[in-house]
Every structure is written in structure tokens, then in C-alpha cells.
């Protein structure tokens, strides 16, 4: 006879699960909240679940205990009440949270309906290693769960935390809404944000593209792109390293920002730049490597990327300088954001300030773990939803960002993502990983690929195209279309139309090409070069390079939004390491020497990028445009796909474009549509001007992408 678990489900209701309902007499249950017993006025059961209705409301600031006869059960869990409409309706607030600073006063606000008391702690410095620092303690007052205090003096230069008395614990926590912090992010910093703007930043603004499909995204890490000694960048691994002009290798080839401008991409996708957990990267001595998918302070830049993490203004100013420098070069900046989990939930400010609210729980009360990081945030809870939206709106407004890539977006609920889309300016890109993860949220509510119809303006990382091209990421030796696997023609056709619902025979999950973020590799898993070395290990380097060019040729001529991982254009390798999140710099850095060695490959990819940018036919923005303008050609040969883009309803200098993908090692003859065609791309050259003329039969070389056009 056991009570398995007990939950508070309403302000007057308790629910418990027992092993065998026949062993229990419902009249023998007793309930205690704080130091008082509350009468149970109604008891009923459904199978092994018992519901108890109380005579008066529970005080949520105190623990609750359920008794049966003379036996005591452990404290009841509140997380079901905290997730309820009843709770959110009572305590949700739109009042400003965090620090509101000006020169004459500062007002602090933090939300915790369960706290017994909250004190503001003011410090003279932001270094917690200084054990001699004694804070000034100031009591805060509460109105319906919102704690606040106003200090009528100029606090600029001071640091702060909150001391929260909750469920018998005295916790010191940073402000979840902190916009500046001291070294290692353990204390909020009080600063004037206006003093963090670079000169002229007020005249900067995000760059507007006509359509999301005009984007060509390049993923990079602030640390990786400049750490290699041959980068020619002085401030290696720092935000301002990407502001340096005309940086070059010893071979006089461009690096850093100059290289990205040369390559011709339109957007950079910056891997996480918010404040990382100090457990993974110590800002005082950042020798340890980490990608940063371990959030600590969501609204603050990472200090190890600044030239001085002890000065709170520095990291903010220098990140803005980096974004400003990209904008001056006409390059948009998308930020990789990780709201799905934190590094350590039990010690994170969310849980220290309001335990049981911000993180999603399983039925047994344990942390949900669809993120495989030990905890999932509960975006469906209104104040967590509000936090995510507030945070991203702040980044967009304060830092002039052009887009967001949402890490493990499938952890979040559909309503949060759609609300975010509605609140952000329309030019701002919004996309993420729509994997269906095992989090404690029903599948119909998850922001996942199979729910793309419910998220019509959200982009998704397209693993269908990825796996068709290179093979499964979960098998080192599984081949794809580019590495010689047969029978994938239908999958390639689906990829060509952006995995949209083009036809019964060629149909993907997306309702628009703006939903399809096409990629072959990113920071996760093997690099494309390492994957090719595994799947085609018997081939010489020259053949592997041909396959890499073939892959990128397909990627940049498919409909949707292409994304390139940094270094893919010159066959970057991580020496076979598939998950290099904490591998040393030598594994992760952009190898500029290798770039110089394979500059001809880079030139080929740059020409593909130029070709895509020059012709709207490769950048259709609606499903109707794709259906009206793309027709597949009959090809009797296996492992070959060909199609025509007819410029019926689009403005392109080429009226008709034929694209041919030949995955065979040998040449194949393709019957072209009537009239004369101009070849502009093959396995060796990509040009915006004719290379040669063709009619009738065209000989497509093995392992090649071919592009021809006419204006007939």
C-alpha cells in the first residue's frame, strides 16, 4: 500500500497516485499546508488516481504534506499548479522586470509568487572571488508575486543579486533579466546601456531582404574563425577580431570579415554569444573550449569573447561593434539562441528564484530531458514564454540583429514560437531545429517539422535534404546521393523544390520554401569532408573534392534557404571528431592554411553563390511559384536528375534554366528541351556568362552539377 506521488493541481485541489486503490479508505487522508491542517471536503477516485478537494486555498509560499492514516507522505509537488491556467491567470504580469536604471534612481523588479521574502544585495565589484566584499542588503516589497524596490541615487558601476527566501532555503541568485554582469556572470551589473553604443550605432539598422529565400547563411563561431595563428587577426577569438579590416593570411589571402565579404554570403549565423556557464568557460582564464550551448545569463554577451570580461560595458560594446562592422559590409547577423535548457537547472537563477516553474517536469516530478541536457524549459508556462519573447525582442532591438536560429526548437511549444514571430519585425529571420524530441509536451503542441502547417512563417533545419545528400548522420559509413548511393532520385527531386508539397510524387513537409533551411553539415556531427572520407575512403583527394563541389552545387541550386557551415567551402576537417563542442581549438578552428591550399575550390563555391544571388529563379519564395515554374525532365539514366526553371511569373535575366545533377562516376547524355542552350556551370567552372552552346543531347560529366540557360 503506497502513495506513489502527490501533486497540487489547483489552489483547492490535490491529486495523488497510489499503487492499488482498493487498499485505501479515502476518508483517512489528511492534508497540511504551512503549520495548519486544511479540511478535505470532497474525495473521489479514478482508477489509481485520487483527487482531494480542500475547504480553503493553499498558501503556495509553504510546502504541503499529504497524510494517510498515521503515515506521512513527502511534500506535494507544485509544478502542475504552476503550469495551470488558474495559476498563470492569477499571477502572470506584464509589468517591466529586471533593472530600470537612470542617473537619479534605479528600480529593481523580480517575479516570484512563492518567495517569503526577497532582498536586493548591492556589491561594489562583480568578482565573487573577492570574499571580503560585504553587500548592502535592501528589503524588497511584494504585490501579487512581483517584488520591487527603488533606490533614489545613481548606482552606476555597482553590482547586484537577489537574496530569495523560498521553501526553507535562502538562495542568492542573479537577475534573470540582467543585461550586464561582472566576470563569470555571477552578479548583475548596473550600467547605462547608452554608454555601450559604438559611434554611429544609432544610425545602424538591420538589413532588409525582399524575401527570406534571398538569404545565403554562413554559420560561424566567434572563436573558431579567428583563433588560428594564420588568420592575420590581432584580437583572435574576440568579438572585435571580426571588425578588423583587410586581414590576410601569410599568402595574402583575405580572412575574417574581409573573407566573408569576398565569399558573397548574405547572412552569418553566429553560434551562441550570450553568457556561457562559468563551469564550462572560465572568463578569467578561458583556455577551455566550449561552443556555448550551456546558457547562464540569457541577455548578456559572453565575456570570454571580450577584451576585458571584468568591465561590464566592454562585452556589450564590442559585440555591437562586431554587428555594426558586418552591417557596414552588407552582411546580416543571425544569432543562435538556446532557450531550451540551461547548464545546471538546480543552481540556475530560474530555479533559485522560483523553483518548479521555469522547467518542464515529467509525471513523476523529475526534470524533462528531451534536450539531453538534464532539463527542458517550460515555454508553455506564461512567464517562461514571456521571458523568451522579452529576451529575443531585447536582443533584436538593442543589438540590431537580423535573425535568430532557435536551438532544439522542438522543445518549445507552437504558440510561443508563433507569438515570437508576430512580435518581431517582419524582416527578421526566424528558424530553428524542428526535431521531435522526447520532452514532456504533447506532440501536437511542439514546434516540430511535422507541425510546419501550424508554423507557416518559421524556417526549419532540413534534415531530409541533409540525409539524402550525404547519408545518415547517425552512421559514419552511410552514403548519400553525393557519395554514390543509388535510388535517391525521388528524394533529390523533393529537395530541389525545397521539400515543399509540390506534387503527390514529390512532396515534403513544408508549405513554403521559406520553411526549408537547406544544409549538409553544421557545427554538429561530422564535417562534410570527414563524412566523405568515411563513405568514400578508397577514393583519391581529387575525387573527394569533386564530390564536395557536387554537394554544394546541389545545395546552392535547390529552392529554399541554403546554409553553409564555416569552412565547408574548402573541405574543412575536424580529424573525424563528430561532436567537438569541447575539443581544443586545433580541432575546431577555421584552418586558413587549408583555405589557401584549396582556394580554387573556394572560387568555385563563391561563383555558385554569385550565380544564385544573380538569379531569382533559384530563390522562389512561394509554393505557387515553384509549382508554376519548375518542371522535371525525363531522364532514363539512373542517379541523374534534371529540371527546368521557367521564368513565367518571375523577373530573371534568363527566361529558362536547365539544371542537371549527375551522381554517376561516368558521363551521361541528357536530351535538352528544344532550342539552343548556353552552358554556364559544370564540374570545373561556374560563370554568369556562357561557356559553350548546346542543343539536342548534352553530355553531363560524372559527379557534376550543370546549369544551362536560354532566352527563347
Amino acid at each position: 500500500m503506497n502513495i506513489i506521488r502527490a501533486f497540487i493541481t489547483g489552489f483547492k485541489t490535490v491529486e495523488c497516485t497510489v499503487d492499488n486503490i482498493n487498499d485505501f479508505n479515502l476518508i483517512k487522508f489528511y492534508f497540511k499546508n504551512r503549520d495548519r491542517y486544511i479540511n478535505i471536503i470532497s474525495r473521489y477516485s479514478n482508477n489509481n488516481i485520487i483527487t482531494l478537494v480542500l475547504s480553503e486555498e493553499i498558501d503556495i509560499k509553504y510546502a504541503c504534506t499529504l497524510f494517510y492514516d498515521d503515515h506521512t507522505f513527502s511534500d506535494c509537488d507544485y509544478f502542475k499548479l504552476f503550469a495551470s491556467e488558474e495559476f498563470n491567470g492569477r499571477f502572470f504580469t506584464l509589468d517591466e522586470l529586471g533593472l530600470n536604471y537612470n542617473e537619479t534612481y534605479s528600480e529593481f523588479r523580480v517575479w516570484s509568487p512563492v518567495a517569503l521574502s526577497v532582498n536586493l544585495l548591492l556589491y561594489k565589484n562583480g568578482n565573487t572571488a573577492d570574499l571580503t566584499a560585504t553587500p548592502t542588503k535592501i528589503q524588497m516589497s511584494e504585490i501579487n508575486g512581483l517584488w520591487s524596490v527603488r533606490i533614489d541615487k545613481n548606482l552606476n558601476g555597482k553590482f547586484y543579486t537577489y537574496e530569495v527566501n523560498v521553501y526553507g532555503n535562502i538562495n542568492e541568485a542573479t537577475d534573470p533579466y540582467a543585461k550586464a554582469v561582472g566576470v563569470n556572470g555571477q552578479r548583475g551589473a548596473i550600467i547605462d546601456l547608452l554608454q555601450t553604443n559604438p559611434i554611429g550605432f544609432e544610425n545602424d539598422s538591420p538589413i532588409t531582404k525582399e524575401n527570406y529565400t534571398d538569404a545565403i547563411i554562413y554559420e560561424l563561431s566567434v572563436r573558431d574563425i579567428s583563433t588560428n595563428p594564420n588568420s592575420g587577426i590581432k584580437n583572435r577569438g574576440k568579438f572585435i577580431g571580426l571588425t578588423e579590416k583587410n586581414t590576410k593570411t601569410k599568402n595574402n589571402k583575405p580572412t575574417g570579415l574581409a573573407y566573408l565579404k569576398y565569399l558573397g554570403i548574405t547572412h552569418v549565423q553566429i553560434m551562441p554569444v550570450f553568457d556561457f556557464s562559468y563551469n564550462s568557460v572560465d572568463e578569467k582564464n578561458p583556455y577551455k573550449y566550449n561552443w556555448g550551448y550551456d546558457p547562464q545569463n540569457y541577455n548578456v554577451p559572453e565575456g570570454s569573447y571580450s577584451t576585458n570580461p571584468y568591465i561590464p560595458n566592454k562585452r556589450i560594446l564590442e559585440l555591437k561593434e562586431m554587428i555594426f562592422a558586418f552591417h557596414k559590409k552588407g552582411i546580416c547577423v543571425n544569432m543562435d539562441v538556446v532557450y531550451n535548457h540551461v547548464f545546471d537547472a538546480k543552481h540556475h537563477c530560474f530555479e533559485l528564484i522560483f523553483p518548479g516553474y521555469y522547467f518542464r517536469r515529467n509525471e513523476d516530478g523529475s526534470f524533462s530531458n528531451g534536450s539531453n541536457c538534464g532539463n527542458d524549459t517550460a515555454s508553455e508556462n506564461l512567464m517562461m514564454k514571456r521571458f523568451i519573447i522579452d529576451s529575443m525582442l531585447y536582443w533584436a532591438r538593442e543589438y540590431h540583429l537580423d535573425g535568430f536560429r532557435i536551438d532544439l526548437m522542438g522543445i518549445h511549444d507552437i504558440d510561443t514560437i508563433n507569438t515570437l514571430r508576430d512580435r518581431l519585425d517582419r524582416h527578421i529571420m526566424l528558424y530553428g531545429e524542428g526535431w521531435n524530441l522526447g520532452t514532456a509536451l504533447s506532440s501536437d503542441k511542439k514546434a516540430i517539422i511535422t507541425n510546419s502547417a501550424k508554423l507557416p512563417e518559421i524556417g526549419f533545419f532540413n534534415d531530409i535534404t541533409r540525409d539524402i545528400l550525404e547519408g545518415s548522420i547517425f552512421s559514419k559509413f552511410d552514403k548519400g546521393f553525393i557519395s554514390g548511393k543509388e535510388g535517391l532520385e525521388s528524394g533529390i527531386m523533393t529537395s530541389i523544390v525545397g521539400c515543399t508539397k509540390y506534387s503527390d510524387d514529390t512532396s515534403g513537409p513544408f508549405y513554403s520554401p521559406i520553411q526549408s533551411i537547406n544544409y549538409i553539415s553544421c557545427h554538429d556531427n561530422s564535417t562534410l569532408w570527414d563524412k566523405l572520407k568515411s563513405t568514400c575512403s578508397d577514393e583519391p583527394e581529387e575525387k573527394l573534392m569533386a564530390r564536395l563541389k557536387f554537394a554544394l552545387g546541389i545545395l546552392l541550386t535547390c529552392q529554399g534557404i541554403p546554409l553553409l557551415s564555416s569552412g565547408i567551402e574548402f573541405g574543412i576537417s575536424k580529424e573525424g571528431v563528430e561532436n567537438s563542442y569541447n575539443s581544443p581549438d586545433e580541432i575546431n578552428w577555421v584552418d586558413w592554411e587549408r583555405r589557401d591550399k584549396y582556394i580554387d575550390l573556394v572560387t568555385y563555391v563563391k561563383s555558385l553563390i554569385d550565380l544564385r544571388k544573380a538569379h531569382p529563379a533559384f530563390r522562389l519564395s512561394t509554393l505557387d511559384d515553384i509549382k508554376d515554374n519548375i518542371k522535371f525532365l525525363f531522364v532514363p539514366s539512373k542517379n541523374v536528375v534534371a529540371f527546368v526553371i521557367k521564368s513565367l511569373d518571375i523577373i530573371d535575366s534568363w527566361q529558362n534554366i536547365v539544371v542537371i545533377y549527375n551522381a554517376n562516376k561516368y558521363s551521361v547524355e541528357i536530351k535538352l528541351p528544344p532550342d539552343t542552350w548556353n552552358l554556364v556551370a559544370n564540374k570545373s567552372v561556374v560563370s554568369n556568362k556562357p561557356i559553350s552552346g548546346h542543343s539536342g543531347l548534352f553530355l553531363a560529366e560524372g559527379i557534376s552539377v550543370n546549369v544551362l540557360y536560354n532566352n527563347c
Side-chain angles (χ1 to χ4, degrees), residues 107 157 217 223 239 386 437-438 548 619 640 661:
E107 188 167 18
I217 305 170
R223 181 163 177 162
F239 291 128
R386 181 193 162 179
L437 303 164
L548 192 144
R619 300 180 272 114
V640 182
Y661 304 150

Side-chain angles (χ1 to χ4, degrees), residues 466-472 477-486 488 492 531 535-536 547 663:
R466 178 198 68 193
D467 291 351
I468 287 288
L469 289 177
E470 71 165 3
S472 171
F477 304 104
D478 185 52
K479 292 187 176 184
F481 186 72
I482 65 169
S483 44
K485 188 173 183 178
E486 298 186 352
L488 297 177
I492 289 296
K531 177 73 169 177
T535 54
C536 304
R547 293 192 185 280

Side-chain angles (χ1 to χ4, degrees), residues 42-54:
S42 180
R43 304 164 173 84
Y44 54 91
S45 63
N46 182 12
N47 294 323
N48 289 326
I49 299 175
I50 299 168
T51 301
L52 308 173
V53 180
L54 307 176

Side-chain angles (χ1 to χ4, degrees), residues 205-370:
S205 61
I207 300 170
T208 301
K209 297 290 182 183
E210 184 175 351
N211 298 304
Y212 296 135
T213 50
D214 292 335
I216 301 172
I217 305 170
Y218 191 88
E219 181 192 47
L220 62 85
S221 156
V222 169
R223 181 163 177 162
D224 295 351
I225 200 164
S226 59
T227 307
N228 188 292
N230 196 28
S231 68
I233 293 173
K234 295 177 182 177
N235 292 282
R236 300 207 304 266
K238 306 297 181 184
F239 291 128
I240 60 171
L242 283 167
T243 69
E244 296 178 24
K245 299 178 181 178
N246 302 317
T247 56
K248 298 177 181 179
T249 64
K250 59 187 178 184
N251 296 320
N252 207 35
K253 299 288 192 257
T255 65
L257 179 57
Y259 172 68
L260 296 171
K261 178 63 177 176
Y262 159 80
L263 192 60
I265 50 91
T266 66
H267 293 64
V268 289
Q269 177 183 294
I270 305 293
M271 288 170 64
V273 293
F274 49 62
D275 186 46
F276 308 163
S277 168
Y278 66 89
N279 290 292
S280 57
V281 177
D282 182 358
E283 293 176 355
K284 299 174 184 178
N285 186 21
Y287 69 92
K288 285 198 302 182
Y289 183 94
N290 200 286
W291 283 339
Y293 291 90
D294 50 1
Q296 181 168 298
N297 293 293
Y298 276 109
N299 295 330
V300 186
E302 165 58 18
S304 67
Y305 290 164
S306 73
T307 56
N308 192 335
Y310 290 87
I311 302 175
N313 287 34
K314 205 74 171 173
R315 62 180 79 192
I316 301 171
L317 170 65
E318 291 176 347
L319 175 55
K320 289 178 178 179
E321 288 178 329
M322 185 192 82
I323 294 167
F324 199 12
F326 275 114
H327 284 173
K328 287 177 180 177
K329 293 293 184 182
I331 299 173
C332 302
V333 180
N334 295 349
M335 179 181 176
D336 195 342
V337 292
V338 189
Y339 293 99
N340 62 81
H341 77 282
V342 300
F343 179 80
D344 178 5
K346 291 182 180 179
H347 297 97
H348 192 268
C349 59
F350 283 158
E351 190 74 1
L352 294 174
I353 292 171
F354 191 167
Y357 185 82
Y358 289 99
F359 296 98
R360 191 173 292 145
R361 306 290 177 133
N362 297 312
E363 276 295 314
D364 63 0
S366 62
F367 287 119
S368 176
N369 190 25

Side-chain angles (χ1 to χ4, degrees), residues 5 25 51 71 77 127 131 135 150 198 235 239 263 355 395 398 441 496 580 600 612 617 619 625 658:
R5 63 186 71 95
N25 181 348
T51 301
H71 303 284
D77 203 316
N127 188 356
L131 301 179
R150 172 173 165 148
N235 292 282
F239 291 128
L263 192 60
W395 280 104
E398 186 68 28
L441 185 69
I496 286 165
S580 62
D600 290 343
R612 183 179 181 90
R619 300 180 272 114
D625 281 344
V658 168

Side-chain angles (χ1 to χ4, degrees), residues 451-560:
N451 288 328
S452 61
K454 300 177 182 179
L455 297 139
E457 296 183 76
I458 305 300
F460 297 85
F461 265 49
N462 185 345
D463 58 334
I464 299 170
T465 292
R466 178 198 68 193
D467 291 351
I468 287 288
L469 289 177
E470 71 165 3
S472 171
I473 61 169
F474 301 110
S475 172
K476 190 174 183 180
F477 304 104
D478 185 52
K479 292 187 176 184
F481 186 72
I482 65 169
S483 44
K485 188 173 183 178
E486 298 186 352
L488 297 177
E489 294 89 344
S490 178
I492 289 296
M493 293 167 72
T494 300
S495 295
I496 286 165
V497 296
C499 291
T500 56
K501 297 187 179 300
Y502 175 81
S503 69
D504 291 339
D505 297 328
T506 306
S507 181
F510 302 130
Y511 292 78
S512 164
I514 70 170
Q515 292 185 298
S516 184
I517 306 297
N518 302 326
Y519 76 111
I520 307 173
S521 63
C522 62
H523 61 274
D524 286 320
N525 310 114
S526 297
T527 69
L528 176 56
W529 180 257
D530 288 345
K531 177 73 169 177
L532 286 170
K533 286 193 72 174
S534 297
T535 54
C536 304
S537 57
D538 58 336
E539 293 186 349
E541 184 175 274
E542 181 182 358
K543 186 71 73 175
L544 296 179
M545 285 295 174
R547 293 192 185 280
L548 192 144
K549 291 164 72 174
F550 184 45
L552 294 178
I554 295 172
L555 187 72
L556 287 162
T557 51
C558 282
Q559 300 299 322

